[in-house]
Amino acid sequence: MKYIGNYKDWINSSWIEIILSMKGFGAPKDFNISLDIDSGQRSKMHESERKVYEIYGTDKIFFHLLESNCLNFQIDPPWLSEKFDWWITKMYPGQFIPIHSDGPKHLKGKRYWMPLQDWEPGHIFIYENISVSRYNAGDLWEYENSLAVHGAINIGHNPRLILQVSTFGES
Amino acid sequence: MQYIGNFFDWIKPEWLDEVLNHPGFEMPKHSLRNEARFNPILKSYFDDVDRIISQEEYEKLIKDLDSMDANDKVVRHAKIHANYLDPSRELDEEYGMYHNAGYDVWADHFRLMEKFDVSFNILDYPPPFLDYEGKHITWWFSKMSPGHVMPMHIDKADPSVQIHKYWMPWTDYEKGHVFIVEDQAITNYKAGDVFMFINPGAWHGAVNIGHRPRAILQITDYKISRNIDLV
């Protein structure tokens, strides 16, 4: 993970309230349905996602996904000038994202990871063999390898909110 | 965590086989009754670890204990731990903390194997890294399948007790096998590696977001510096 800088001043505090108040998609359970949840339009589970969750159970909820089209605010990342996609992952205590590698659509682009709150013990992001910790809200990291194996866990005592941004190598 | 060395050769193949195939007890779901399993008197009051005894049975247990020899070590121990079987027992501070954070404290978050759950005693063939003379030793295994989590916690310790805590994986590290002490993740280890907690009171937790089970031996040694009733 390559540290880019801190963008805490860019984070609008109302985003946190909105994210905490919305359910979003319960992943992977809600990936199995094509329903319009919270105004979102998530399609069925991708094949790569299905493989990740096969051993965990595709009918359970391990974390909450809030995609950009589910949320009533938009973001304009100051570090980007190219086309991007973004989403929020919300994990309550006890929730996790199994270790996985993102699909080939991320191969040409860049992947950015930004916590929206300060780190607390038990908020864990694993990237290959390292864990990212002691971060501050607004710290921005870039995946050095878009296909790196990664996963996340919340074994702390408060929800964990992460902004994720992807570019696709297109202007 | 201080790395001590690799002692895989000390692990007997039949021990490893038993640990990997033992289902273990569901924790924290069974944790309260697990404490009661230590005591033969309490154990006789619940035949199945899944069964929560009734208030009537609990009151009978208390009455029975009051009629037993109060000087008997096992009775004294049973009286100290009888409240673990109290069906109306409220969550203690630690479990209250998990509950308030949103964890289901009666779910199956990881598996535990106490020393009396397995057919062997590691102290019959003492671990070469352990300085056990004059110490009280406890040991147990934790086993986590993919998806199992152990919330961040601090192990309670009496400040008058000198304590050493050892952590020894019996399975090789794989990505997604996470053990966190404070902000440090222990990774890339081999089965048989032994680590000692530098601070036995450190916050720690574990999770398996990998694809295979993870088994850990944990050993604690205590040196008592004042009189404590260890019944």
Side-chain angles (χ1 to χ4, degrees):
Chain A
M1 296 282 276
K2 184 168 82 178
Y3 182 68
I4 307 292
N6 184 277
Y7 291 84
K8 186 177 181 177
D9 292 343
W10 170 74
I11 297 172
N12 187 323
S13 59
S14 68
W15 297 350
I16 310 286
E17 289 172 34
I18 293 168
I19 293 163
L20 287 173
S21 69
M22 292 184 71
K23 178 179 176 289
F25 283 90
K29 183 182 176 185
D30 292 343
F31 289 175
N32 286 318
I33 52 178
S34 264
L35 294 179
D36 188 348
I37 298 177
D38 292 339
S39 307
Q41 295 173 12
R42 225 320 173 146
S43 59
K44 289 183 180 178
M45 186 187 293
H46 305 145
E47 191 52 33
S48 59
E49 291 167 334
R50 183 179 298 283
K51 278 184 182 170
V52 169
Y53 290 105
E54 261 173 5
I55 63 166
Y56 288 90
T58 53
D59 59 342
K60 294 177 181 166
I61 293 176
F62 296 121
F63 70 100
H64 296 266
L65 176 70
L66 293 94
E67 296 191 307
S68 52
N69 56 5
C70 297
L71 293 157
N72 59 5
F73 63 87
Q74 290 302 311
I75 67 165
D76 184 15
W79 67 89
L80 278 181
S81 58
E82 56 193 304
K83 197 174 167 185
F84 66 93
D85 190 11
W86 65 279
W87 63 96
I88 304 285
T89 52
K90 178 168 68 170
M91 303 173 74
Y92 291 104
Q95 294 191 322
F96 57 87
I97 300 175
I99 207 90
H100 67 283
S101 177
D102 292 335
K105 74 173 183 177
H106 297 283
L107 185 60
K108 289 181 182 171
K110 292 180 176 176
R111 288 271 279 117
Y112 297 95
W113 184 92
M114 177 193 278
L116 297 177
Q117 316 131 301
D118 291 340
W119 176 81
E120 71 163 57
H123 285 190
I124 300 163
F125 180 62
I126 297 286
Y127 175 92
E128 295 290 353
N129 290 328
I130 65 158
S131 68
V132 182
S133 58
R134 297 220 181 263
Y135 50 72
N136 291 312
D139 280 344
L140 179 70
W141 273 273
E142 180 187 336
Y143 286 32
E144 283 162 319
N145 171 8
S146 297
L147 299 182
V149 170
H150 59 281
I153 313 108
N154 183 357
I155 49 172
H157 301 128
N158 291 295
R160 172 186 178 278
L161 310 177
I162 307 292
L163 166 66
Q164 311 208 50
V165 179
S166 260
T167 66
F168 301 100
E170 302 165 9
S171 57
Chain B
M1 296 288 276
Q2 180 186 344
Y3 180 66
I4 305 294
N6 186 281
F7 297 86
F8 185 75
D9 291 346
W10 165 76
I11 301 170
K12 290 180 182 285
E14 61 270 27
W15 293 357
L16 183 60
D17 190 54
E18 184 171 342
V19 167
L20 294 180
N21 289 298
H22 196 297
F25 284 86
E26 299 174 19
M27 297 291 286
K29 180 181 171 185
H30 290 151
S31 61
L32 299 184
R33 279 150 284 164
N34 180 62
E35 293 290 342
R37 287 192 303 131
F38 280 101
N39 186 282
I41 297 172
L42 298 179
K43 196 178 170 184
S44 70
Y45 280 78
F46 63 105
D47 44 5
D48 181 345
V49 76
D50 269 320
R51 191 170 78 84
I52 297 171
I53 68 173
S54 66
Q55 191 64 36
E56 194 179 10
E57 287 172 303
Y58 178 66
E59 285 166 11
K60 182 177 181 307
L61 161 65
I62 298 300
K63 200 174 167 186
D64 290 349
L65 285 173
D66 283 341
S67 69
M68 294 178 191
D69 178 4
N71 293 317
D72 184 281
K73 199 174 169 180
V74 178
V75 174
R76 290 209 319 271
H77 180 268
K79 283 185 169 179
I80 291 168
H81 296 291
N83 68 329
Y84 281 111
L85 295 181
D86 182 353
S88 59
R89 185 173 188 251
E90 292 186 357
L91 297 174
D92 65 13
E93 191 182 343
E94 182 185 7
Y95 278 69
M97 176 179 73
Y98 300 147
H99 174 75
N100 291 337
Y103 292 98
D104 177 358
V105 297
W106 305 117
D108 172 17
H109 290 317
F110 68 99
R111 300 296 173 94
L112 177 76
M113 281 162 280
E114 298 276 10
K115 55 191 172 189
F116 53 84
D117 292 323
V118 291
S119 65
F120 58 88
N121 182 352
I122 64 165
L123 299 180
D124 288 342
Y125 180 48
F129 54 88
L130 198 63
D131 175 19
Y132 55 93
E133 288 296 330
K135 291 180 178 174
H136 181 76
I137 311 287
T138 62
W139 56 275
W140 65 95
F141 292 94
S142 62
K143 209 161 83 166
M144 303 178 85
S145 295
H148 274 158
V149 297
M150 190 183 292
M152 293 299 281
H153 63 284
I154 296 174
D155 295 333
K156 289 173 190 164
D158 186 318
S160 66
V161 176
Q162 292 173 39
I163 186 169
H164 293 107
K165 290 174 49 168
Y166 300 91
W167 184 88
M168 182 188 205
W170 280 29
T171 44
D172 286 340
Y173 168 79
E174 70 161 53
K175 289 184 174 71
H177 286 190
V178 180
F179 180 56
I180 291 277
V181 181
E182 302 284 7
D183 62 342
Q184 183 190 14
I186 313 299
T187 58
N188 277 335
Y189 52 75
K190 292 280 181 195
D193 280 345
V194 174
F195 297 82
M196 187 176 79
F197 279 67
I198 294 168
N199 170 16
W203 281 93
H204 60 285
V207 67
N208 183 354
I209 52 168
H211 301 126
R212 280 187 285 272
R214 164 189 180 277
I216 309 292
L217 168 64
Q218 292 170 89
I219 305 176
T220 300
D221 72 43
Y222 305 87
K223 193 168 183 181
I224 314 295
S225 56
R226 65 173 167 78
N227 285 337
I228 291 179
D229 192 352
L230 277 176
V231 290

